[in-house]
Amino acid sequence: QRPSRPPRRTSLRSVSPPLSPSTMGAARNLSDPDVEDDEEMSARHKRITPKVLKQVSKEQQLYATASLNDKLYLHYRGYNRIEGLDEWTGLKALWLEGNGFDKIEGLDKLANLRCVYLQQNCIRKIENLQCCPELSSLQISNNMLPRIEGLSGLRHLSTLQIANNHLITADDIRHLLEMPALTVLDLQNNRLEEPEVIEVFEGMPQLAVLQCQGNPFISKVTSYRKTVVSRCKSLSYLDDRPIFDEERMATEAWVVGGLPAEREERRRQRTEKDAAHRKNLEYMLNITRKGREEKEKKEAERAARIAAGEEVDDTPPPFFHAKDDEKDKAKDEPTEKDIYDKALRALQAKKAALLAKKKKEAQAAAAAASAAAPVECAADDELPGVQTKTHGTTAPSGSADGADDGRAFEAAASFAGSRPGHVFKLGSKGLGYYSDGPAKAKAAEKAAAEKVAAASEGVPPPLSARELMAQQGAAEPDVAPQFAGKSAQELVEEVGGGAAAEAEAGDGVVAGSAADLDELD
């Protein structure tokens, strides 16, 4: 029974009769529904149950699905049996130290296990680990193991820590020869007494780290460290310090010629080190001396120039740095933005050239169509000031052709309607009706005859361009001053751009076809 606490000072009104142990237990049972399980656990040995694993998963923030977890901590909990881990098939690291296990079991389903920590238990035999073929590290120190066994099937086992156990003879550790991949071995604080254990270490081809401190056989081996280093060729770390090349060479000399040979080897090593150090020092002194001589030479040349009256440039040379050179190279190289802008300009120039070509072709087609179409236009339908194109030649309407052909001229202040064989214009004799020449007179008479014939047959006569525009209410067209005196071909070349667009495109860009223009559109 627990010692009762001293009663608190209370008033008489707050005093109540003390509860008996059975009454207190009943009260606990009423308040906590899981108290029976807790009492049962405390009365017996603790076990790893599904409920315990579920609670551990919550504490360690693991996955609810057991097979998804690759690590599990069950250390220092007082369990006495390894069990309940069949669903944890994905485990790669398992911590089981600090419990009361006396047997290795319950790991049959953990085929992916890499690391197992079983130190500080009561294990008496290494067994049931063949089901973990991927095991690479086994920590089983501080147990009661009398020998090493049951590890021959673990081909990937590279680290074995088996310190503070009950190993005594060389036969107790001879099983290590069946583990060729073992590189790290910890045998500290065992009871190994026979010097023959060194033969076992010598037979391990990949042994790199060996710790044997605290074993009785060390005092029985003459020159223990030299002996182990000379016989274990792959060893790089022994007990408390590493093994360097100088120590290995001195040890090999000791094996061949004893202590004098070792001393001679160490003397040779010191001589080589001193020679290398002296060589480096001389090299640095030589560089310093050359720099001083160059400086003195430059100062002497400068003094001679000053004495001769020459100008001396005292500007210090620029400090060269590899990083600055790299920056300059980076500046010279085009950036991604420059490449993109160049390609965009080329594309825009090509598009402009294609547009100009397409427009030029359209205008040429329209001009060809208008030239091929039959146009019957009377002389009185011509507008003043407008250039007309006939058979590839142009003639201004304001010229004085036919003004001096001897035909009549009738002055008129304004246009009073069309007259056959005459044209209303401002000529050499002023504003009025001028004769249009014999050919045009015949054409006008023919047109007049056709009008009369059409009128007699009831067909309306064809309207002239001026009459049609007047009927539609359109204003008389005027020619812009920048287009006056220019042919249609010249206007097309001026508006389209022609070769100028191709020149603007730059190198490697040529005007494409209409299909290319459609693709760009």
Side-chain angles (χ1 to χ4, degrees):
Q1 295 182 356
R2 296 180 180 178
S4 59
R5 295 179 180 179
R8 297 179 180 178
R9 295 182 181 180
T10 56
S11 60
L12 295 176
R13 294 181 181 180
S14 62
V15 174
S16 59
L19 296 177
S20 61
S22 59
T23 308
M24 295 175 64
R28 287 198 303 269
N29 290 337
L30 291 175
S31 60
D32 190 358
D34 297 334
V35 69
E36 295 182 359
D37 296 340
D38 296 340
E39 289 183 353
E40 185 178 357
M41 283 291 183
S42 62
R44 298 180 302 175
H45 295 292
K46 296 180 67 174
R47 301 182 59 183
I48 305 176
T49 61
K51 181 179 178 181
V52 172
L53 292 175
K54 184 177 181 180
Q55 182 65 26
V56 169
S57 300
K58 291 182 180 179
E59 293 175 358
Q60 300 176 11
Q61 298 181 357
L62 304 177
Y63 294 108
T65 303
S67 60
L68 299 178
N69 298 290
D70 58 354
K71 60 183 178 180
L72 180 61
Y73 297 91
L74 294 175
H75 54 307
Y76 301 106
R77 291 180 178 269
Y79 303 127
N80 67 333
R81 184 178 179 184
I82 306 174
E83 58 184 346
L85 301 177
D86 294 344
E87 297 181 0
W88 298 69
T89 56
L91 283 182
K92 295 183 179 180
L94 180 59
W95 282 263
L96 296 172
E97 70 268 23
N99 288 283
F101 304 131
D102 57 357
K103 184 179 180 181
I104 302 176
E105 57 184 346
L107 306 178
D108 301 339
K109 304 295 182 180
L110 308 183
N112 297 321
L113 203 60
R114 265 68 166 179
C115 304
V116 181
Y117 301 91
L118 289 167
Q119 67 268 27
Q120 299 180 8
N121 282 284
C122 303
I123 300 173
R124 299 177 181 273
K125 184 179 180 181
I126 302 176
E127 57 184 346
N128 299 326
L129 290 176
Q130 305 297 332
C131 56
C132 305
E134 302 296 328
L135 192 65
S136 62
S137 178
L138 176 60
Q139 167 60 280
I140 198 168
S141 302
N142 296 94
N143 279 279
M144 303 177 181
L145 298 173
R147 68 180 59 84
I148 300 176
E149 57 185 342
L151 301 176
S152 58
L154 305 178
R155 297 300 178 183
H156 299 283
L157 186 63
S158 60
T159 302
L160 177 60
Q161 294 174 284
I162 194 170
N164 294 287
N165 278 278
H166 299 168
L167 306 177
I168 300 175
T169 64
D171 294 334
D172 295 341
I173 65 170
R174 201 171 298 276
H175 186 70
L176 295 173
L177 298 176
E178 301 181 16
M179 293 178 282
L182 196 64
T183 57
V184 179
L185 178 61
D186 184 5
L187 293 172
Q188 297 181 83
N189 300 320
N190 275 278
R191 304 175 185 178
L192 297 173
E193 299 176 351
E194 300 178 357
E196 289 79 7
V197 296
I198 298 179
E199 299 178 359
V200 179
F201 302 150
E202 186 179 2
M204 302 175 66
Q206 298 186 19
L207 185 62
V209 179
L210 176 62
Q211 292 181 339
C212 295
Q213 292 174 316
N215 286 280
F217 81 93
I218 294 178
S219 59
K220 300 179 181 180
V221 179
T222 304
S223 301
Y224 156 74
R225 184 173 179 86
K226 297 178 184 178
T227 302
V228 175
V229 170
S230 63
R231 300 180 65 175
C232 300
K233 305 298 182 181
S234 60
L235 203 62
S236 61
Y237 199 100
L238 177 61
D239 294 338
D240 57 345
R241 62 183 185 273
I243 302 172
F244 296 106
D245 295 337
E246 293 82 0
E247 182 181 1
R248 184 167 293 280
M249 288 188 293
T251 302
E252 291 177 356
W254 172 80
V255 172
V256 174
L259 187 59
E262 179 187 0
R263 291 176 178 173
E264 182 64 25
E265 175 63 23
R266 292 191 181 278
R267 189 180 300 109
R268 185 190 65 81
Q269 293 177 5
R270 286 195 297 270
T271 303
E272 288 184 356
K273 285 185 179 181
D274 294 342
H277 179 69
R278 191 180 302 106
K279 183 178 180 181
N280 294 336
L281 182 60
E282 290 177 356
Y283 181 75
M284 295 298 299
L285 292 176
N286 189 21
I287 292 176
T288 306
R289 183 173 59 256
K290 287 183 178 179
R292 189 182 300 109
E293 291 176 355
E294 290 179 0
K295 184 177 179 181
E296 293 176 355
K297 182 179 179 180
K298 289 181 180 179
E299 290 179 354
E301 292 178 355
R302 182 175 178 275
R305 289 182 180 180
I306 294 175
E310 299 179 1
E311 294 184 358
V312 179
D313 186 10
D314 294 333
T315 304
F319 180 73
F320 174 77
H321 199 277
K323 292 184 177 180
D324 298 336
D325 189 30
E326 293 177 359
K327 290 181 180 179
D328 296 339
K329 290 182 179 179
K331 291 180 180 178
D332 297 339
E333 296 179 357
T335 62
E336 184 177 357
K337 184 177 183 303
D338 297 338
I339 297 174
Y340 173 79
D341 294 340
K342 183 177 180 181
L344 184 61
R345 288 193 299 268
L347 182 61
Q348 291 175 349
K350 182 175 181 180
K351 184 175 180 180
L354 292 175
L355 287 172
K357 183 177 180 180
K358 187 174 182 180
K359 186 175 181 181
K360 184 177 180 180
E361 291 176 355
Q363 292 177 351
S370 62
V375 180
E376 296 181 357
C377 182
D380 56 354
D381 295 335
E382 295 182 358
L383 299 178
V386 179
Q387 295 178 348
T388 58
K389 182 178 180 181
T390 305
H391 302 291
T393 60
T394 59
S397 60
S399 65
D401 294 346
D404 299 329
D405 57 357
R407 297 187 181 275
F409 165 73
E410 296 181 8
S414 62
F415 180 72
S418 62
R419 297 182 183 180
H422 292 78
V423 61
F424 180 80
K425 64 181 181 178
L426 179 61
S428 59
K429 297 181 179 182
L431 184 64
Y433 289 91
Y434 290 84
S435 176
D436 202 17
K440 292 186 177 181
K442 292 181 180 180
E445 292 176 359
K446 184 178 179 180
E450 290 178 356
K451 289 183 179 181
V452 172
S456 62
E457 294 178 0
V459 180
L463 300 177
S464 63
R466 188 178 298 278
E467 293 173 349
L468 183 59
M469 292 175 61
Q471 182 178 353
Q472 294 179 354
E476 294 183 359
D478 295 330
V479 178
Q482 63 268 28
F483 295 151
K486 295 183 180 180
S487 64
Q489 184 67 21
E490 294 174 348
L491 292 176
V492 168
E493 291 179 357
E494 182 177 354
V495 174
E502 296 183 2
E504 187 181 358
D507 297 338
V509 181
V510 296
S513 60
D516 297 334
L517 182 59
D518 296 338
E519 182 179 356
L520 287 175
D521 293 340

